[in-house]
Amino acid sequence: MQQAVFELTDKGLQKAWNLFADTQETLIWSALQGVMGQAAGDDPDEPSAVRTITGDFAFFAGDPNTSGAEALIRNVTVPLLGCGDRQTESWKERILSIWPDAQTFDRYTIQKETHFDRNKLEEYARSLPDGFTIVPIDERWYARCLKEKWMCDFVSNFSSASDFVQRGLGFLAIDPMGQPAAGATSYTIYQGGIEIEVDTNENYRRKGLALAVCAKLILTCLDKGLYPSWDAANLASVALAQKLGYQPGHHYEVFYLPQMDAQQTATGQVEFTEKR
């Protein structure tokens, strides 16, 4: 009989916090706080293995050598799998035993509690090429974002336009013809902050647009008392974060399941693209 996967009760969530102890991954925080995403375990009250799913990412913690852990891994519906800070190697081995064709790549943490230079950020936010403007993402731009693959992740983790406008935050750089050229938004949210998503249309790269919209987003977060968390998919993202005032942390491995991308695409869900 296949092991069941359970939604965690309040008691189970507290145990999950202990299993994910000291994690700085805000996507895990979002799920455990009940703000966004899902938290599950091999027992609703006393889990020995737990999993969070937020956006395209699943993270695991606890004891990987149980039938419950196998069910948590096998029943994922997202393309990216990561591990908590404890027993990382054991979880990696268990993930690969179940998904032997999983691809791996590095991501890069960015240190939290950055002290930003507002003057420099304001300068960056003003440094748009002639004819470009920065606009907030409202209901109209929410719908537009969902229609274009390169920017759908700007808003895809929110249930509706009104949900994004109420709980999310984001800006687009608009070209002189009125078309979106780049954007920086809340990929996800957690209590007290956002996780930043940034991307630029391939036809507009190397014009400083990502720097400008990120600076605008960070300044708005500071004004609202929110922390703009950053986790980088590649070294270019690390370099951009450093220019904005962040300090790099360490790299970590993520497993990619392309078959989950195919499943999401077939059901009309967002296809994964390596950004941020």
Side-chain angles (χ1 to χ4, degrees), residues 26-27 30 35-38 53-57 78-80 142 145-146 151-165 167-169 185-190 194-197 264 269-273 275-276:
T26 71
L27 273 67
S30 296
V35 174
M36 179 176 279
Q38 308 165 1
I53 293 180
T54 311
D56 286 321
F57 293 80
V78 293
L80 297 169
Y142 173 94
C145 287
L146 288 178
M151 60 179 183
C152 58
D153 276 348
F154 289 164
V155 300
S156 61
N157 290 321
F158 294 82
S159 61
S160 65
S162 61
D163 183 35
F164 181 85
V165 171
R167 300 197 300 154
L169 187 63
T185 75
S186 50
Y187 177 70
T188 53
I189 57 174
Y190 61 96
I194 71 168
E195 185 70 35
I196 290 179
E197 170 83 11
Q264 287 184 340
Q269 298 180 44
V270 176
E271 182 177 0
F272 165 70
T273 52
K275 298 186 288 188
R276 297 171 57 220

Side-chain angles (χ1 to χ4, degrees), residues 127-133 141 144 148 150-151 154 172-183 198-213:
S127 64
L128 288 168
D130 290 344
F132 284 77
T133 58
W141 287 116
R144 177 68 181 274
E148 298 194 32
W150 75 270
M151 60 179 183
F154 289 164
L172 297 173
I174 305 299
D175 74 6
M177 301 299 293
Q179 301 302 309
V198 56
D199 199 19
T200 303
N201 184 300
E202 61 182 8
N203 298 319
Y204 294 92
R205 290 177 179 165
R206 304 192 181 280
K207 296 181 181 293
L209 298 177
L211 180 67
V213 289

Side-chain angles (χ1 to χ4, degrees), residues 61-80:
D63 183 357
N65 300 309
T66 66
S67 59
E70 178 179 350
L72 290 169
I73 297 170
R74 191 175 299 281
N75 294 329
V76 293
T77 57
V78 293
L80 297 169

Side-chain angles (χ1 to χ4, degrees), residues 30-270:
S30 296
L32 298 185
Q33 291 168 351
V35 174
M36 179 176 279
Q38 308 165 1
D42 55 359
D43 184 90
D45 299 309
E46 293 289 344
S48 60
V50 294
R51 179 194 71 202
T52 63
I53 293 180
T54 311
D56 286 321
F57 293 80
F59 287 94
F60 302 88
D63 183 357
N65 300 309
T66 66
S67 59
E70 178 179 350
L72 290 169
I73 297 170
R74 191 175 299 281
N75 294 329
V76 293
T77 57
V78 293
L80 297 169
L81 313 184
C83 310
D85 294 334
R86 296 181 178 180
Q87 296 177 295
T88 299
E89 292 303 320
S90 297
W91 275 104
K92 289 179 182 177
E93 292 175 4
R94 195 66 193 274
I95 289 170
L96 286 174
S97 72
I98 295 169
W99 299 102
D101 296 328
Q103 303 170 20
T104 62
F105 63 87
D106 286 340
R107 289 186 64 91
Y108 304 86
T109 65
I110 302 297
Q111 294 181 26
K112 300 288 192 292
E113 304 306 326
T114 301
H115 298 287
F116 296 98
D117 184 335
R118 290 190 65 105
N119 291 332
K120 185 171 290 187
L121 290 173
E122 288 168 358
E123 178 185 343
Y124 290 153
R126 294 191 299 266
S127 64
L128 288 168
D130 290 344
F132 284 77
T133 58
I134 293 179
V135 300
I137 297 178
D138 56 14
E139 289 89 345
R140 170 191 167 221
W141 287 116
Y142 173 94
R144 177 68 181 274
C145 287
L146 288 178
K147 292 179 180 179
E148 298 194 32
K149 179 180 176 181
W150 75 270
M151 60 179 183
C152 58
D153 276 348
F154 289 164
V155 300
S156 61
N157 290 321
F158 294 82
S159 61
S160 65
S162 61
D163 183 35
F164 181 85
V165 171
Q166 180 179 355
R167 300 197 300 154
L169 187 63
F171 295 91
L172 297 173
I174 305 299
D175 74 6
M177 301 299 293
Q179 301 302 309
T185 75
S186 50
Y187 177 70
T188 53
I189 57 174
Y190 61 96
Q191 292 177 9
I194 71 168
E195 185 70 35
I196 290 179
E197 170 83 11
V198 56
D199 199 19
T200 303
N201 184 300
E202 61 182 8
N203 298 319
Y204 294 92
R205 290 177 179 165
R206 304 192 181 280
K207 296 181 181 293
L209 298 177
L211 180 67
V213 289
C214 284
K216 177 66 173 178
L217 178 61
I218 292 168
L219 286 166
T220 305
C221 284
L222 298 180
D223 290 341
K224 291 179 175 291
L226 299 172
Y227 185 77
S229 179
W230 191 295
D231 191 81
N234 50 52
L235 292 176
S237 180
V238 174
L240 176 59
Q242 287 184 278
K243 190 165 186 178
L244 289 160
Y246 294 95
Q247 295 299 315
H250 62 274
H251 76 276
Y252 64 98
E253 280 188 326
V254 171
F255 296 91
Y256 171 52
L257 307 180
Q259 59 269 50
M260 292 302 169
D261 251 357
Q263 179 177 321
Q264 287 184 340
T265 303
T267 58
Q269 298 180 44
V270 176

